[in-house]
Amino acid sequence: MNTSQITEALCKFYEEHRIVFWNDPRGEFLESLSETVPEGVALIRPDEDGALAAKIRIEIDERQTKFLVYSP
């Protein structure tokens, strides 16, 4: 699957959902991650930012923002 197909699939999810969780245990998409995030969607990486900080940002600070929560 190429990055444009992933972006297209993600855009469909955001038609109905504000938050999408992407679990990538093998880190296959880590290098192309920035290319796949749809425009207007904020990327959160709990492994880098911390789970509590991510939760606060999603639930309190930016309640209208669409998020992609990526976990390698």
Side-chain angles (χ1 to χ4, degrees):
M1 186 176 269
N2 65 37
T3 57
S4 63
Q5 289 174 316
I6 295 170
T7 302
E8 200 173 297
L10 287 171
C11 286
K12 289 183 182 183
F13 283 121
Y14 288 109
E15 289 174 5
E16 295 184 27
H17 306 284
R18 183 175 80 89
I19 304 165
V20 174
F21 291 88
W22 184 353
N23 186 25
D24 183 20
R26 289 183 272 170
E28 296 175 80
F29 298 97
L30 189 56
E31 289 182 20
S32 59
L33 183 61
S34 61
E35 300 168 22
T36 59
V37 178
E39 190 173 323
V41 174
L43 175 65
I44 291 184
R45 295 211 29 209
D47 62 313
E48 291 181 349
D49 305 328
L52 181 58
K55 182 177 176 72
I56 290 170
R57 185 173 172 196
I58 291 170
E59 294 184 9
I60 298 172
D61 295 341
E62 299 177 45
R63 296 179 74 177
Q64 302 303 315
T65 303
K66 293 181 179 183
F67 289 99
L68 175 61
V69 181
Y70 177 83
S71 179

mmCIF file with all atom_site columns, all heavy atoms in Angstrom, residues 2 4 7 10-11 13 19-20 27-28 30 33 37 39-41 45-47 49 51-52 56 61 65-67:
data_model
loop_
_atom_site.group_PDB
_atom_site.id
_atom_site.type_symbol
_atom_site.label_atom_id
_atom_site.label_alt_id
_atom_site.label_comp_id
_atom_site.label_asym_id
_atom_site.label_entity_id
_atom_site.label_seq_id
_atom_site.pdbx_PDB_ins_code
_atom_site.Cartn_x
_atom_site.Cartn_y
_atom_site.Cartn_z
_atom_site.occupancy
_atom_site.B_iso_or_equiv
_atom_site.pdbx_formal_charge
_atom_site.auth_seq_id
_atom_site.auth_comp_id
_atom_site.auth_asym_id
_atom_site.auth_atom_id
_atom_site.pdbx_PDB_model_num
ATOM 1   N N   . ASN A 1 2  ? 0.606   2.194  -0.873 1.00 0.00 ? 2  ASN A N   1
ATOM 2   C CA  . ASN A 1 2  ? 1.427   3.402  -0.919 1.00 0.00 ? 2  ASN A CA  1
ATOM 3   C C   . ASN A 1 2  ? 0.830   4.511  -0.056 1.00 0.00 ? 2  ASN A C   1
ATOM 4   O O   . ASN A 1 2  ? -0.285  4.397  0.438  1.00 0.00 ? 2  ASN A O   1
ATOM 5   C CB  . ASN A 1 2  ? 1.645   3.861  -2.368 1.00 0.00 ? 2  ASN A CB  1
ATOM 6   C CG  . ASN A 1 2  ? 0.361   4.290  -3.047 1.00 0.00 ? 2  ASN A CG  1
ATOM 7   O OD1 . ASN A 1 2  ? -0.511  4.879  -2.435 1.00 0.00 ? 2  ASN A OD1 1
ATOM 8   N ND2 . ASN A 1 2  ? 0.245   4.000  -4.323 1.00 0.00 ? 2  ASN A ND2 1
ATOM 9   N N   . SER A 1 4  ? -0.354  7.473  -0.695 1.00 0.00 ? 4  SER A N   1
ATOM 10  C CA  . SER A 1 4  ? -1.599  8.124  -1.126 1.00 0.00 ? 4  SER A CA  1
ATOM 11  C C   . SER A 1 4  ? -2.813  7.256  -0.803 1.00 0.00 ? 4  SER A C   1
ATOM 12  O O   . SER A 1 4  ? -3.879  7.774  -0.455 1.00 0.00 ? 4  SER A O   1
ATOM 13  C CB  . SER A 1 4  ? -1.555  8.480  -2.607 1.00 0.00 ? 4  SER A CB  1
ATOM 14  O OG  . SER A 1 4  ? -1.435  7.323  -3.397 1.00 0.00 ? 4  SER A OG  1
ATOM 15  N N   . THR A 1 7  ? -3.407  7.700  2.953  1.00 0.00 ? 7  THR A N   1
ATOM 16  C CA  . THR A 1 7  ? -4.016  9.011  3.209  1.00 0.00 ? 7  THR A CA  1
ATOM 17  C C   . THR A 1 7  ? -5.491  8.998  2.830  1.00 0.00 ? 7  THR A C   1
ATOM 18  O O   . THR A 1 7  ? -6.338  9.511  3.562  1.00 0.00 ? 7  THR A O   1
ATOM 19  C CB  . THR A 1 7  ? -3.276  10.112 2.430  1.00 0.00 ? 7  THR A CB  1
ATOM 20  O OG1 . THR A 1 7  ? -1.903  10.098 2.812  1.00 0.00 ? 7  THR A OG1 1
ATOM 21  C CG2 . THR A 1 7  ? -3.860  11.487 2.725  1.00 0.00 ? 7  THR A CG2 1
ATOM 22  N N   . LEU A 1 10 ? -7.399  7.070  5.449  1.00 0.00 ? 10 LEU A N   1
ATOM 23  C CA  . LEU A 1 10 ? -7.520  7.871  6.670  1.00 0.00 ? 10 LEU A CA  1
ATOM 24  C C   . LEU A 1 10 ? -8.578  8.957  6.510  1.00 0.00 ? 10 LEU A C   1
ATOM 25  O O   . LEU A 1 10 ? -9.370  9.196  7.430  1.00 0.00 ? 10 LEU A O   1
ATOM 26  C CB  . LEU A 1 10 ? -6.172  8.495  7.042  1.00 0.00 ? 10 LEU A CB  1
ATOM 27  C CG  . LEU A 1 10 ? -5.119  7.544  7.605  1.00 0.00 ? 10 LEU A CG  1
ATOM 28  C CD1 . LEU A 1 10 ? -3.774  8.251  7.720  1.00 0.00 ? 10 LEU A CD1 1
ATOM 29  C CD2 . LEU A 1 10 ? -5.548  7.008  8.954  1.00 0.00 ? 10 LEU A CD2 1
ATOM 30  N N   . CYS A 1 11 ? -8.605  9.603  5.359  1.00 0.00 ? 11 CYS A N   1
ATOM 31  C CA  . CYS A 1 11 ? -9.607  10.655 5.118  1.00 0.00 ? 11 CYS A CA  1
ATOM 32  C C   . CYS A 1 11 ? -11.022 10.113 5.271  1.00 0.00 ? 11 CYS A C   1
ATOM 33  O O   . CYS A 1 11 ? -11.900 10.800 5.799  1.00 0.00 ? 11 CYS A O   1
ATOM 34  C CB  . CYS A 1 11 ? -9.410  11.267 3.734  1.00 0.00 ? 11 CYS A CB  1
ATOM 35  S SG  . CYS A 1 11 ? -7.992  12.361 3.617  1.00 0.00 ? 11 CYS A SG  1
ATOM 36  N N   . PHE A 1 13 ? -11.935 7.663  7.253  1.00 0.00 ? 13 PHE A N   1
ATOM 37  C CA  . PHE A 1 13 ? -12.182 7.518  8.691  1.00 0.00 ? 13 PHE A CA  1
ATOM 38  C C   . PHE A 1 13 ? -12.592 8.856  9.309  1.00 0.00 ? 13 PHE A C   1
ATOM 39  O O   . PHE A 1 13 ? -13.471 8.914  10.169 1.00 0.00 ? 13 PHE A O   1
ATOM 40  C CB  . PHE A 1 13 ? -10.940 7.005  9.423  1.00 0.00 ? 13 PHE A CB  1
ATOM 41  C CG  . PHE A 1 13 ? -10.685 5.541  9.271  1.00 0.00 ? 13 PHE A CG  1
ATOM 42  C CD1 . PHE A 1 13 ? -9.500  5.095  8.720  1.00 0.00 ? 13 PHE A CD1 1
ATOM 43  C CD2 . PHE A 1 13 ? -11.611 4.594  9.686  1.00 0.00 ? 13 PHE A CD2 1
ATOM 44  C CE1 . PHE A 1 13 ? -9.238  3.747  8.582  1.00 0.00 ? 13 PHE A CE1 1
ATOM 45  C CE2 . PHE A 1 13 ? -11.370 3.243  9.559  1.00 0.00 ? 13 PHE A CE2 1
ATOM 46  C CZ  . PHE A 1 13 ? -10.177 2.818  8.994  1.00 0.00 ? 13 PHE A CZ  1
ATOM 47  N N   . ILE A 1 19 ? -10.923 11.075 16.042 1.00 0.00 ? 19 ILE A N   1
ATOM 48  C CA  . ILE A 1 19 ? -9.673  10.483 16.502 1.00 0.00 ? 19 ILE A CA  1
ATOM 49  C C   . ILE A 1 19 ? -9.499  9.111  15.850 1.00 0.00 ? 19 ILE A C   1
ATOM 50  O O   . ILE A 1 19 ? -10.409 8.286  15.873 1.00 0.00 ? 19 ILE A O   1
ATOM 51  C CB  . ILE A 1 19 ? -9.659  10.317 18.034 1.00 0.00 ? 19 ILE A CB  1
ATOM 52  C CG1 . ILE A 1 19 ? -9.910  11.663 18.712 1.00 0.00 ? 19 ILE A CG1 1
ATOM 53  C CG2 . ILE A 1 19 ? -8.339  9.715  18.511 1.00 0.00 ? 19 ILE A CG2 1
ATOM 54  C CD1 . ILE A 1 19 ? -10.273 11.554 20.173 1.00 0.00 ? 19 ILE A CD1 1
ATOM 55  N N   . VAL A 1 20 ? -8.317  8.893  15.281 1.00 0.00 ? 20 VAL A N   1
ATOM 56  C CA  . VAL A 1 20 ? -7.978  7.599  14.690 1.00 0.00 ? 20 VAL A CA  1
ATOM 57  C C   . VAL A 1 20 ? -6.705  7.112  15.363 1.00 0.00 ? 20 VAL A C   1
ATOM 58  O O   . VAL A 1 20 ? -5.730  7.852  15.483 1.00 0.00 ? 20 VAL A O   1
ATOM 59  C CB  . VAL A 1 20 ? -7.768  7.709  13.165 1.00 0.00 ? 20 VAL A CB  1
ATOM 60  C CG1 . VAL A 1 20 ? -7.276  6.389  12.590 1.00 0.00 ? 20 VAL A CG1 1
ATOM 61  C CG2 . VAL A 1 20 ? -9.053  8.151  12.476 1.00 0.00 ? 20 VAL A CG2 1
ATOM 62  N N   . GLY A 1 27 ? 6.736   -0.744 12.975 1.00 0.00 ? 27 GLY A N   1
ATOM 63  C CA  . GLY A 1 27 ? 7.254   0.551  12.537 1.00 0.00 ? 27 GLY A CA  1
ATOM 64  C C   . GLY A 1 27 ? 7.416   0.659  11.032 1.00 0.00 ? 27 GLY A C   1
ATOM 65  O O   . GLY A 1 27 ? 8.243   1.424  10.543 1.00 0.00 ? 27 GLY A O   1
ATOM 66  N N   . GLU A 1 28 ? 6.589   -0.062 10.297 1.00 0.00 ? 28 GLU A N   1
ATOM 67  C CA  . GLU A 1 28 ? 6.696   -0.097 8.841  1.00 0.00 ? 28 GLU A CA  1
ATOM 68  C C   . GLU A 1 28 ? 6.453   1.255  8.170  1.00 0.00 ? 28 GLU A C   1
ATOM 69  O O   . GLU A 1 28 ? 6.990   1.529  7.103  1.00 0.00 ? 28 GLU A O   1
ATOM 70  C CB  . GLU A 1 28 ? 5.703   -1.103 8.268  1.00 0.00 ? 28 GLU A CB  1
ATOM 71  C CG  . GLU A 1 28 ? 5.964   -2.531 8.685  1.00 0.00 ? 28 GLU A CG  1
ATOM 72  C CD  . GLU A 1 28 ? 4.885   -3.460 8.201  1.00 0.00 ? 28 GLU A CD  1
ATOM 73  O OE1 . GLU A 1 28 ? 4.930   -3.843 7.016  1.00 0.00 ? 28 GLU A OE1 1
ATOM 74  O OE2 . GLU A 1 28 ? 3.994   -3.779 9.010  1.00 0.00 ? 28 GLU A OE2 1
ATOM 75  N N   . LEU A 1 30 ? 6.776   4.335  9.743  1.00 0.00 ? 30 LEU A N   1
ATOM 76  C CA  . LEU A 1 30 ? 7.369   5.426  10.517 1.00 0.00 ? 30 LEU A CA  1
ATOM 77  C C   . LEU A 1 30 ? 8.047   6.462  9.618  1.00 0.00 ? 30 LEU A C   1
ATOM 78  O O   . LEU A 1 30 ? 7.879   7.663  9.808  1.00 0.00 ? 30 LEU A O   1
ATOM 79  C CB  . LEU A 1 30 ? 8.358   4.864  11.535 1.00 0.00 ? 30 LEU A CB  1
ATOM 80  C CG  . LEU A 1 30 ? 8.903   5.826  12.569 1.00 0.00 ? 30 LEU A CG  1
ATOM 81  C CD1 . LEU A 1 30 ? 7.770   6.492  13.340 1.00 0.00 ? 30 LEU A CD1 1
ATOM 82  C CD2 . LEU A 1 30 ? 9.811   5.089  13.532 1.00 0.00 ? 30 LEU A CD2 1
ATOM 83  N N   . LEU A 1 33 ? 5.409   8.510  7.637  1.00 0.00 ? 33 LEU A N   1
ATOM 84  C CA  . LEU A 1 33 ? 4.274   8.957  8.444  1.00 0.00 ? 33 LEU A CA  1
ATOM 85  C C   . LEU A 1 33 ? 3.853   10.388 8.124  1.00 0.00 ? 33 LEU A C   1
ATOM 86  O O   . LEU A 1 33 ? 2.676   10.671 7.938  1.00 0.00 ? 33 LEU A O   1
ATOM 87  C CB  . LEU A 1 33 ? 4.612   8.822  9.932  1.00 0.00 ? 33 LEU A CB  1
ATOM 88  C CG  . LEU A 1 33 ? 3.511   9.177  10.913 1.00 0.00 ? 33 LEU A CG  1
ATOM 89  C CD1 . LEU A 1 33 ? 2.300   8.260  10.704 1.00 0.00 ? 33 LEU A CD1 1
ATOM 90  C CD2 . LEU A 1 33 ? 4.019   9.048  12.333 1.00 0.00 ? 33 LEU A CD2 1
ATOM 91  N N   . VAL A 1 37 ? -0.301  11.711 6.830  1.00 0.00 ? 37 VAL A N   1
ATOM 92  C CA  . VAL A 1 37 ? -1.269  12.410 7.684  1.00 0.00 ? 37 VAL A CA  1
ATOM 93  C C   . VAL A 1 37 ? -2.065  13.397 6.830  1.00 0.00 ? 37 VAL A C   1
ATOM 94  O O   . VAL A 1 37 ? -1.491  14.278 6.200  1.00 0.00 ? 37 VAL A O   1
ATOM 95  C CB  . VAL A 1 37 ? -0.559  13.152 8.842  1.00 0.00 ? 37 VAL A CB  1
ATOM 96  C CG1 . VAL A 1 37 ? -1.562  13.913 9.685  1.00 0.00 ? 37 VAL A CG1 1
ATOM 97  C CG2 . VAL A 1 37 ? 0.236   12.184 9.689  1.00 0.00 ? 37 VAL A CG2 1
ATOM 98  N N   . GLU A 1 39 ? -4.307  16.539 5.583  1.00 0.00 ? 39 GLU A N   1
ATOM 99  C CA  . GLU A 1 39 ? -4.270  17.964 5.920  1.00 0.00 ? 39 GLU A CA  1
ATOM 100 C C   . GLU A 1 39 ? -5.349  18.279 6.949  1.00 0.00 ? 39 GLU A C   1
ATOM 101 O O   . GLU A 1 39 ? -6.464  17.775 6.862  1.00 0.00 ? 39 GLU A O   1
ATOM 102 C CB  . GLU A 1 39 ? -4.500  18.795 4.654  1.00 0.00 ? 39 GLU A CB  1
ATOM 103 C CG  . GLU A 1 39 ? -4.232  20.263 4.851  1.00 0.00 ? 39 GLU A CG  1
ATOM 104 C CD  . GLU A 1 39 ? -4.299  21.021 3.544  1.00 0.00 ? 39 GLU A CD  1
ATOM 105 O OE1 . GLU A 1 39 ? -3.871  20.475 2.516  1.00 0.00 ? 39 GLU A OE1 1
ATOM 106 O OE2 . GLU A 1 39 ? -4.777  22.165 3.573  1.00 0.00 ? 39 GLU A OE2 1
ATOM 107 N N   . GLY A 1 40 ? -5.003  19.070 7.923  1.00 0.00 ? 40 GLY A N   1
ATOM 108 C CA  . GLY A 1 40 ? -5.942  19.449 8.966  1.00 0.00 ? 40 GLY A CA  1
ATOM 109 C C   . GLY A 1 40 ? -6.019  18.468 10.124 1.00 0.00 ? 40 GLY A C   1
ATOM 110 O O   . GLY A 1 40 ? -6.830  18.638 11.026 1.00 0.00 ? 40 GLY A O   1
ATOM 111 N N   . VAL A 1 41 ? -5.194  17.430 10.095 1.00 0.00 ? 41 VAL A N   1
ATOM 112 C CA  . VAL A 1 41 ? -5.174  16.426 11.153 1.00 0.00 ? 41 VAL A CA  1
ATOM 113 C C   . VAL A 1 41 ? -3.867  16.560 11.927 1.00 0.00 ? 41 VAL A C   1
ATOM 114 O O   . VAL A 1 41 ? -2.789  16.644 11.340 1.00 0.00 ? 41 VAL A O   1
ATOM 115 C CB  . VAL A 1 41 ? -5.307  14.998 10.564 1.00 0.00 ? 41 VAL A CB  1
ATOM 116 C CG1 . VAL A 1 41 ? -5.144  13.951 11.642 1.00 0.00 ? 41 VAL A CG1 1
ATOM 117 C CG2 . VAL A 1 41 ? -6.646  14.836 9.860  1.00 0.00 ? 41 VAL A CG2 1
ATOM 118 N N   . ARG A 1 45 ? 2.102   11.330 18.991 1.00 0.00 ? 45 ARG A N   1
ATOM 119 C CA  . ARG A 1 45 ? 2.869   10.113 19.227 1.00 0.00 ? 45 ARG A CA  1
ATOM 120 C C   . ARG A 1 45 ? 3.065   9.953  20.725 1.00 0.00 ? 45 ARG A C   1
ATOM 121 O O   . ARG A 1 45 ? 3.954   10.550 21.316 1.00 0.00 ? 45 ARG A O   1
ATOM 122 C CB  . ARG A 1 45 ? 4.224   10.201 18.528 1.00 0.00 ? 45 ARG A CB  1
ATOM 123 C CG  . ARG A 1 45 ? 4.061   10.256 17.018 1.00 0.00 ? 45 ARG A CG  1
ATOM 124 C CD  . ARG A 1 45 ? 5.146   9.654  16.238 1.00 0.00 ? 45 ARG A CD  1
ATOM 125 N NE  . ARG A 1 45 ? 5.863   8.574  16.864 1.00 0.00 ? 45 ARG A NE  1
ATOM 126 C CZ  . ARG A 1 45 ? 7.141   8.320  16.581 1.00 0.00 ? 45 ARG A CZ  1
ATOM 127 N NH1 . ARG A 1 45 ? 7.787   9.066  15.728 1.00 0.00 ? 45 ARG A NH1 1
ATOM 128 N NH2 . ARG A 1 45 ? 7.749   7.307  17.164 1.00 0.00 ? 45 ARG A NH2 1
ATOM 129 N N   . PRO A 1 46 ? 2.211   9.149  21.376 1.00 0.00 ? 46 PRO A N   1
ATOM 130 C CA  . PRO A 1 46 ? 2.321   8.956  22.823 1.00 0.00 ? 46 PRO A CA  1
ATOM 131 C C   . PRO A 1 46 ? 3.685   8.415  23.260 1.00 0.00 ? 46 PRO A C   1
ATOM 132 O O   . PRO A 1 46 ? 4.116   8.676  24.375 1.00 0.00 ? 46 PRO A O   1
ATOM 133 C CB  . PRO A 1 46 ? 1.211   7.957  23.156 1.00 0.00 ? 46 PRO A CB  1
ATOM 134 C CG  . PRO A 1 46 ? 0.237   8.096  22.042 1.00 0.00 ? 46 PRO A CG  1
ATOM 135 C CD  . PRO A 1 46 ? 1.048   8.444  20.837 1.00 0.00 ? 46 PRO A CD  1
ATOM 136 N N   . ASP A 1 47 ? 4.361   7.688  22.382 1.00 0.00 ? 47 ASP A N   1
ATOM 137 C CA  . ASP A 1 47 ? 5.680   7.169  22.737 1.00 0.00 ? 47 ASP A CA  1
ATOM 138 C C   . ASP A 1 47 ? 6.709   8.286  22.885 1.00 0.00 ? 47 ASP A C   1
ATOM 139 O O   . ASP A 1 47 ? 7.680   8.140  23.605 1.00 0.00 ? 47 ASP A O   1
ATOM 140 C CB  . ASP A 1 47 ? 6.164   6.150  21.702 1.00 0.00 ? 47 ASP A CB  1
ATOM 141 C CG  . ASP A 1 47 ? 6.335   6.734  20.318 1.00 0.00 ? 47 ASP A CG  1
ATOM 142 O OD1 . ASP A 1 47 ? 5.422   7.447  19.850 1.00 0.00 ? 47 ASP A OD1 1
ATOM 143 O OD2 . ASP A 1 47 ? 7.380   6.481  19.682 1.00 0.00 ? 47 ASP A OD2 1
ATOM 144 N N   . ASP A 1 49 ? 5.571   11.886 23.225 1.00 0.00 ? 49 ASP A N   1
ATOM 145 C CA  . ASP A 1 49 ? 4.973   12.985 23.991 1.00 0.00 ? 49 ASP A CA  1
ATOM 146 C C   . ASP A 1 49 ? 4.460   12.567 25.360 1.00 0.00 ? 49 ASP A C   1
ATOM 147 O O   . ASP A 1 49 ? 4.232   13.414 26.210 1.00 0.00 ? 49 ASP A O   1
ATOM 148 C CB  . ASP A 1 49 ? 3.809   13.600 23.204 1.00 0.00 ? 49 ASP A CB  1
ATOM 149 C CG  . ASP A 1 49 ? 4.230   14.052 21.821 1.00 0.00 ? 49 ASP A CG  1
ATOM 150 O OD1 . ASP A 1 49 ? 5.390   14.468 21.657 1.00 0.00 ? 49 ASP A OD1 1
ATOM 151 O OD2 . ASP A 1 49 ? 3.394   13.981 20.897 1.00 0.00 ? 49 ASP A OD2 1
ATOM 152 N N   . ALA A 1 51 ? 1.631   9.568  27.238 1.00 0.00 ? 51 ALA A N   1
ATOM 153 C CA  . ALA A 1 51 ? 0.212   9.251  27.143 1.00 0.00 ? 51 ALA A CA  1
ATOM 154 C C   . ALA A 1 51 ? -0.673  10.286 27.834 1.00 0.00 ? 51 ALA A C   1
ATOM 155 O O   . ALA A 1 51 ? -1.724  10.659 27.316 1.00 0.00 ? 51 ALA A O   1
ATOM 156 C CB  . ALA A 1 51 ? -0.055  7.865  27.710 1.00 0.00 ? 51 ALA A CB  1
ATOM 157 N N   . LEU A 1 52 ? -0.245  10.766 28.996 1.00 0.00 ? 52 LEU A N   1
ATOM 158 C CA  . LEU A 1 52 ? -1.057  11.744 29.715 1.00 0.00 ? 52 LEU A CA  1
ATOM 159 C C   . LEU A 1 52 ? -1.127  13.063 28.955 1.00 0.00 ? 52 LEU A C   1
ATOM 160 O O   . LEU A 1 52 ? -2.203  13.661 28.834 1.00 0.00 ? 52 LEU A O   1
ATOM 161 C CB  . LEU A 1 52 ? -0.509  11.980 31.128 1.00 0.00 ? 52 LEU A CB  1
ATOM 162 C CG  . LEU A 1 52 ? -1.293  12.970 31.982 1.00 0.00 ? 52 LEU A CG  1
ATOM 163 C CD1 . LEU A 1 52 ? -2.750  12.532 32.137 1.00 0.00 ? 52 LEU A CD1 1
ATOM 164 C CD2 . LEU A 1 52 ? -0.638  13.151 33.340 1.00 0.00 ? 52 LEU A CD2 1
ATOM 165 N N   . ILE A 1 56 ? -4.606  14.811 27.580 1.00 0.00 ? 56 ILE A N   1
ATOM 166 C CA  . ILE A 1 56 ? -4.987  16.185 27.918 1.00 0.00 ? 56 ILE A CA  1
ATOM 167 C C   . ILE A 1 56 ? -5.191  17.015 26.654 1.00 0.00 ? 56 ILE A C   1
ATOM 168 O O   . ILE A 1 56 ? -6.160  17.770 26.543 1.00 0.00 ? 56 ILE A O   1
ATOM 169 C CB  . ILE A 1 56 ? -3.935  16.824 28.847 1.00 0.00 ? 56 ILE A CB  1
ATOM 170 C CG1 . ILE A 1 56 ? -3.992  16.165 30.221 1.00 0.00 ? 56 ILE A CG1 1
ATOM 171 C CG2 . ILE A 1 56 ? -4.129  18.329 28.955 1.00 0.00 ? 56 ILE A CG2 1
ATOM 172 C CD1 . ILE A 1 56 ? -2.855  16.532 31.144 1.00 0.00 ? 56 ILE A CD1 1
ATOM 173 N N   . ASP A 1 61 ? -7.470  20.386 25.756 1.00 0.00 ? 61 ASP A N   1
ATOM 174 C CA  . ASP A 1 61 ? -6.884  21.532 25.063 1.00 0.00 ? 61 ASP A CA  1
ATOM 175 C C   . ASP A 1 61 ? -7.415  21.756 23.645 1.00 0.00 ? 61 ASP A C   1
ATOM 176 O O   . ASP A 1 61 ? -7.596  22.893 23.229 1.00 0.00 ? 61 ASP A O   1
ATOM 177 C CB  . ASP A 1 61 ? -5.357  21.405 25.003 1.00 0.00 ? 61 ASP A CB  1
ATOM 178 C CG  . ASP A 1 61 ? -4.729  21.469 26.382 1.00 0.00 ? 61 ASP A CG  1
ATOM 179 O OD1 . ASP A 1 61 ? -5.379  21.960 27.321 1.00 0.00 ? 61 ASP A OD1 1
ATOM 180 O OD2 . ASP A 1 61 ? -3.564  21.024 26.512 1.00 0.00 ? 61 ASP A OD2 1
ATOM 181 N N   . THR A 1 65 ? -10.193 19.474 17.353 1.00 0.00 ? 65 THR A N   1
ATOM 182 C CA  . THR A 1 65 ? -9.160  19.050 16.421 1.00 0.00 ? 65 THR A CA  1
ATOM 183 C C   . THR A 1 65 ? -9.284  17.564 16.109 1.00 0.00 ? 65 THR A C   1
ATOM 184 O O   . THR A 1 65 ? -9.638  16.774 16.963 1.00 0.00 ? 65 THR A O   1
ATOM 185 C CB  . THR A 1 65 ? -7.764  19.321 17.023 1.00 0.00 ? 65 THR A CB  1
ATOM 186 O OG1 . THR A 1 65 ? -7.661  20.709 17.341 1.00 0.00 ? 65 THR A OG1 1
ATOM 187 C CG2 . THR A 1 65 ? -6.659  18.938 16.072 1.00 0.00 ? 65 THR A CG2 1
ATOM 188 N N   . LYS A 1 66 ? -8.990  17.218 14.862 1.00 0.00 ? 66 LYS A N   1
ATOM 189 C CA  . LYS A 1 66 ? -8.927  15.811 14.465 1.00 0.00 ? 66 LYS A CA  1
ATOM 190 C C   . LYS A 1 66 ? -7.503  15.325 14.724 1.00 0.00 ? 66 LYS A C   1
ATOM 191 O O   . LYS A 1 66 ? -6.537  16.031 14.456 1.00 0.00 ? 66 LYS A O   1
ATOM 192 C CB  . LYS A 1 66 ? -9.272  15.643 12.988 1.00 0.00 ? 66 LYS A CB  1
ATOM 193 C CG  . LYS A 1 66 ? -10.711 15.986 12.710 1.00 0.00 ? 66 LYS A CG  1
ATOM 194 C CD  . LYS A 1 66 ? -11.038 15.791 11.260 1.00 0.00 ? 66 LYS A CD  1
ATOM 195 C CE  . LYS A 1 66 ? -12.509 16.121 11.036 1.00 0.00 ? 66 LYS A CE  1
ATOM 196 N NZ  . LYS A 1 66 ? -12.918 15.888 9.656  1.00 0.00 ? 66 LYS A NZ  1
ATOM 197 N N   . PHE A 1 67 ? -7.371  14.106 15.246 1.00 0.00 ? 67 PHE A N   1
ATOM 198 C CA  . PHE A 1 67 ? -6.078  13.574 15.634 1.00 0.00 ? 67 PHE A CA  1
ATOM 199 C C   . PHE A 1 67 ? -5.811  12.216 15.007 1.00 0.00 ? 67 PHE A C   1
ATOM 200 O O   . PHE A 1 67 ? -6.718  11.390 14.896 1.00 0.00 ? 67 PHE A O   1
ATOM 201 C CB  . PHE A 1 67 ? -5.985  13.411 17.158 1.00 0.00 ? 67 PHE A CB  1
ATOM 202 C CG  . PHE A 1 67 ? -5.904  14.692 17.905 1.00 0.00 ? 67 PHE A CG  1
ATOM 203 C CD1 . PHE A 1 67 ? -7.039  15.228 18.503 1.00 0.00 ? 67 PHE A CD1 1
ATOM 204 C CD2 . PHE A 1 67 ? -4.718  15.390 18.012 1.00 0.00 ? 67 PHE A CD2 1
ATOM 205 C CE1 . PHE A 1 67 ? -6.975  16.417 19.205 1.00 0.00 ? 67 PHE A CE1 1
ATOM 206 C CE2 . PHE A 1 67 ? -4.645  16.568 18.711 1.00 0.00 ? 67 PHE A CE2 1
ATOM 207 C CZ  . PHE A 1 67 ? -5.771  17.093 19.314 1.00 0.00 ? 67 PHE A CZ  1
#
